[in-house]
């Protein structure tokens, strides 16, 4: 770390904004005398923070971005990466009334008379990778938070019909995790969507790999809606056919998941990247909306390869709408239409571990509010799905967060499980999705 600045601050009223590495990393402002949020374990750092980067025991460390408000009315200092390809870690440590700023790479400093979040918004508007045009997000329904990986075609059909019966303003029906045969096997369909496997009913002809999707995607289009799909292109499971065929494509282990071990796909293997182009070429025959998850795993092969491969996927899907999730934030600017800006929502309010990168309403709210300044400047902000069924803790609070800090609106309840309040709330939020115009200030 190299010392790059010293700022005199009011220890009682000064604030530091600490920006996390990826979608799920906590991002918010803190008292200048405090300490930022930290992972609960090494596994949590790998999955929710910046892997292999040491965090200070006290003070703050922003990944590519840190901002300081020394005192009310004083100029705001923004320290930021000059671009998306190299993202330095930036530290702030308080010694008496002096905040010492250090970084392990090139950093640009911006000083403005504006308040903390207004200053972040101004900086974002000048970031070199920011897109010139941000497309409005379609509204959606997603299978994940009601059915998780056990989703079946019948579940999607039931909700497709219910959305029509209630005349809900839903543009996209998104098949989430569980539609595929395995993690990494994106050209094979789960038996819950394709009961006949690789042959037709009578076994007369080999079918195309994704033929099992034809019926449900056709039904979605017939209902006047668009089919969308979840894919995690940069991870692969140990039980997948892909790894059995190409064991050398397995990069770093990410630990247990999906009742197996799963790995980052090694993007240094040109054949692995060519395979991803093949995957998305096939998938675009059925879908024009993609949610790409666990994208941080691609950065384990290096930021230039991450950006290059994500750009290849972007080019392959053409004009399809692209939502990033679990993604390195700054390295993804300019490559996606929308971005998850917090960890997963959940029916419970508090995280199950003492870690605000973990899925929960509290954690999702923290970073959704803390990254509200990115909406309309980098992309459309995705706070995560609307959950409005009766068993969701503090559902009114989450609905308020979505209403004031989120841009992408997607319901993820079984429509039949919604009570009167839930149905009204889902309809209202889906009907009032904001345009990709920057938010003036965070809602919190």
């Amino acid at each position: 770390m190299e010392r790059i600045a010293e700022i005199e601050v009011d220890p009682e009223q000064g604030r530091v904004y600490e920006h996390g590495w990826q979608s799920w990393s906590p991002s918010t402002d803190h008292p200048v005398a405090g300490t930022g949020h930290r992972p609960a374990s090494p596994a949590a750092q790998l999955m929710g923070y910046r892997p292999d980067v040491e965090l200070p025991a006290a003070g703050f460390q922003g990944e590519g971005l840190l901002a300081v408000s020394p005192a009310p009315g004083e100029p705001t200092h923004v320290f930021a990466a000059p671009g998306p390809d190299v993202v330095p870690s930036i530290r702030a440590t308080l010694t008496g009334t002096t905040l010492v700023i250090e970084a392990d790479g090139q950093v640009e400093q911006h000083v403005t008379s504006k308040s903390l979040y207004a200053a972040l918004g101004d900086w974002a508007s000048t970031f070199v990778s920011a897109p010139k045009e941000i497309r409005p997000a379609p509204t959606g329904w997603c299978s994940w938070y009601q059915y998780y990986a056990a989703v079946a075609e019948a579940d999607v059909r039931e909700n497709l019909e219910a959305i029509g019966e209630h005349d809900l303003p839903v543009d996209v029906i998104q098949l989430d995790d569980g539609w595929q045969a395995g993690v990494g096997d994106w050209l094979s369909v789960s038996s819950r969507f394709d009961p006949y496997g690789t042959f037709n009913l009578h076994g007369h002809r080999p079918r195309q790999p994704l033929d099992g999707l034809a019926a449900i995607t056709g039904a979605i289009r017939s209902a006047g809606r668009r089919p969308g799909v979840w894919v995690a292109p940069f991870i692969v499971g140990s039980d997948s056919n892909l790894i059995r065929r190409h064991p050398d494509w397995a990069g770093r282990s990410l630990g247990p998941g999906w009742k197996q071990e799963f790995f980052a796909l090694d993007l240094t293997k040109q054949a692995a990247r060519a395979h991803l182009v093949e995957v998305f070429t096939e998938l675009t025959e059925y879908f024009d909306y993609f949610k790409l998850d666990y994208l941080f795993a691609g950065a384990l092969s290096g930021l230039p390869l991450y950006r290059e491969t994500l750009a290849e996927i972007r080019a392959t899907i053409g004009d399809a709408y692209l939502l990033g999730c679990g993604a390195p934030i700054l390295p993804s600017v300019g490559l996606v239409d929308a971005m998850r800006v917090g960890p997963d929502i959940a029916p419970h309010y508090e995280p199950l571990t003492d870690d605000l990168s973990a899925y929960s309403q509290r954690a999702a709210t923290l970073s959704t509010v803390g990254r509200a300044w990115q909406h309309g400047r980098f992309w459309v902000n995705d706070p995560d799905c609307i959950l409005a069924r009766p068993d969701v803790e503090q559902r009114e609070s989450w609905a308020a967060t979505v209403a004031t800090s989120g841009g992408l609106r997607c319901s993820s309840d079984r429509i039949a499980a919604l009570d009167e309040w839930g149905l009204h709330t889902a309809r209202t939020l889906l009907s009032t999705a904001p345009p990709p115009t920057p938010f003036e200030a965070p809602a919190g």
Side-chain angles (χ1 to χ4, degrees), residues 86-117:
V86 179
V87 180
S89 296
I90 309 168
R91 286 187 180 177
T93 307
L94 184 64
T95 303
T97 61
T98 302
L99 194 67
V100 176
I101 309 299
E102 301 173 289
D104 64 2
Q106 183 182 356
V107 169
E108 295 180 347
Q109 181 176 359
H110 307 261
V111 182
T112 173
S113 61
K114 292 192 175 180
S115 62
L116 185 63
Y117 283 96

Side-chain angles (χ1 to χ4, degrees), residues 38-39 65 109 122 129 146-147 206 270 279 298 306 365 387 403:
R38 296 292 179 261
L65 178 64
Q109 181 176 359
D122 280 0
S129 295
Q146 186 73 63
Y147 304 99
Q270 179 59 41
V279 165
Y306 168 77
T365 298
L387 293 188

Side-chain angles (χ1 to χ4, degrees), residues 213-283:
L213 294 174
I216 187 60
T217 56
I220 292 169
R221 287 195 175 90
S222 294
R225 309 185 198 279
R226 299 163 53 188
V229 69
W230 173 94
V231 185
F234 298 152
I235 63 173
V236 59
S238 58
D239 291 343
S240 67
N241 287 325
L242 186 68
I243 286 302
R244 280 191 281 271
R245 294 196 308 270
H246 304 285
D248 60 316
W249 291 5
R252 181 169 176 174
S253 173
L254 300 176
W258 293 272
K259 300 180 180 179
Q260 60 190 301
E261 185 176 9
F262 71 111
F263 302 87
L265 189 69
D266 185 355
L267 299 184
T268 67
K269 302 291 194 300
Q270 179 59 41
R273 293 169 56 192
H275 169 72
L276 291 180
V277 171
E278 177 188 353
V279 165
F280 284 96
T281 299
E282 293 288 338
L283 287 172

Side-chain angles (χ1 to χ4, degrees), residues 23-35:
S23 300
W24 308 328
S25 310
S27 296
T28 190
D29 64 291
H30 305 263
V32 72
T35 294

Side-chain angles (χ1 to χ4, degrees), residues 12-79:
E12 300 296 326
Q13 298 188 77
R15 308 290 294 184
V16 174
Y17 178 86
E18 182 184 62
H19 188 260
W21 171 241
Q22 54 124 311
S23 300
W24 308 328
S25 310
S27 296
T28 190
D29 64 291
H30 305 263
V32 72
T35 294
H37 297 292
R38 296 292 179 261
S41 66
Q45 178 166 356
L46 175 63
M47 296 295 294
Y49 296 77
R50 191 170 189 172
D52 306 322
V53 172
E54 182 182 358
L55 293 164
F60 308 94
Q61 182 162 300
E63 301 304 338
L65 178 64
L66 183 141
V68 179
S69 173
E74 292 291 317
T76 297
H77 301 252
V78 177
F79 300 90

Side-chain angles (χ1 to χ4, degrees), residues 308-379:
E308 186 176 340
T309 309
L310 187 56
E312 288 171 351
I313 293 173
R314 167 84 272 179
T316 302
I317 66 173
D319 290 332
Y321 203 84
L322 179 56
L323 164 64
C325 184
I329 293 292
L330 298 187
S332 302
V333 175
L335 297 175
V336 300
D337 295 295
M339 176 64 80
R340 172 78 69 75
V341 289
D344 282 12
I345 188 60
H348 51 268
Y349 182 82
E350 292 287 348
L352 301 180
T353 61
D354 187 22
D355 190 318
L356 287 178
S357 71
Y359 57 95
S360 64
Q361 186 185 140
R362 180 184 168 202
T365 298
L366 176 86
S367 293
T368 293
V369 172
R371 286 189 173 125
W373 54 272
Q374 296 177 1
H375 177 74
R377 295 182 173 99
F378 286 171
W379 38 53

